[in-house]
Amino acid sequence: QSVLTQPPSVSAAPGQKVTISCSGSSSNIGNNYVYWYQQLPGTAPKLLIYENNKRPSGIPDRFSGSQSGTSVTLGITGLQTGDEADYYCETWDSSLSVVVFGGGTKLTVL
Amino acid sequence: EVQLVESGGGLVQPGGSLKVSCAASGFTFSDSGLHWVRQASGKGLEWVGLIEGKPKNYATVYSASVKGRFTISRDDSKNRAYLQMNSLKTEDTAMYYCVTGVTTSGFDSWGQGTLVTVSS
């Protein structure tokens, strides 16, 4: 059971928008930065969003992050078949003093 | 170019030990914290632990699931980090990634992973 809760799966059609939620508590999301990773099949994860809403160099602005209280959301617009992947949220948990990941969300582009 | 290359994975019996390595290049290794993250086949990401860099006195932190069994160390003269795994259990079977943050505060650099299989 993950400390951070993500939906197991989401789906949408090409060109549409999708959001992936990640909920936690005041000991993690509520007081620490959140990061999002994309993992394509058979590859290592890649950083998509850091510090809640910033994009690393090379990440298109189709990807966005937002935070509200103890939840964060990853948004992806203009969906492409190449976006089909597993997405993970991650942060520090101040009570447990460890890094925690969400359980992951599988995105299907129909 | 930042590179992290893991090695040393393999098959080990339950209760056994294994040491995997991470060779780093392309950034100031001694200043950087280095994490280990693992992923069992078909499962999600699990953080294993961290060794800080020289500025933070090489402090280590471990997840509850490996504390007391796993030890992270580093050799800055060789730009290498290590994960010593003792008292291995079947549930430790996973791909082990060495990870760091170079240009951001997140895990922006990942190795390709090394597979550890614990089985009799």
Side-chain angles (χ1 to χ4, degrees), chain A residues 33 35 37 39 43-47 50-51 56 86 88 90 92 97-103, chain B residues 35 37 39 43-47 50 61-64 97 103-108 110-112:
Chain A
Y33 284 130
Y35 304 82
Y37 301 88
Q39 187 176 32
T43 69
K46 179 173 77 172
L47 179 66
Y50 68 101
E51 294 177 7
D86 294 321
Y88 296 90
E90 174 260 310
W92 177 259
S97 294
V98 295
V99 170
V100 290
F101 283 96
Chain B
H35 299 249
V37 174
Q39 185 172 36
K43 303 297 185 183
L45 301 172
E46 181 187 8
W47 182 78
L50 152 73
V61 186
Y62 299 93
S63 69
Y97 295 101
T103 57
T104 74
S105 61
F107 296 153
D108 54 45
W110 295 68
Q112 85 288 351

Side-chain angles (χ1 to χ4, degrees), chain A residues 1-96:
Chain A
Q1 197 78 358
S2 301
V3 171
L4 305 180
T5 301
Q6 297 182 234
S9 63
V10 296
S11 62
Q16 297 300 303
K17 174 182 177 178
V18 72
T19 59
I20 298 173
S21 61
C22 173
S23 64
S25 68
S26 58
S27 67
N28 42 66
I29 293 176
N31 284 284
N32 295 289
Y33 284 130
V34 178
Y35 304 82
W36 287 95
Y37 301 88
Q38 176 194 61
Q39 187 176 32
L40 298 170
T43 69
K46 179 173 77 172
L47 179 66
L48 278 183
I49 298 289
Y50 68 101
E51 294 177 7
N52 295 344
N53 55 19
K54 300 176 183 176
R55 283 177 287 106
S57 174
I59 301 299
D61 59 7
R62 300 189 300 108
F63 295 91
S64 64
S66 63
Q67 186 235 353
S68 177
T70 59
S71 293
V72 290
T73 300
L74 173 70
I76 311 173
T77 59
L79 276 172
Q80 304 172 1
T81 55
D83 296 331
E84 283 203 337
D86 294 321
Y87 292 82
Y88 296 90
C89 56
E90 174 260 310
T91 187
W92 177 259
D93 189 292
S94 303
S95 293
L96 300 173

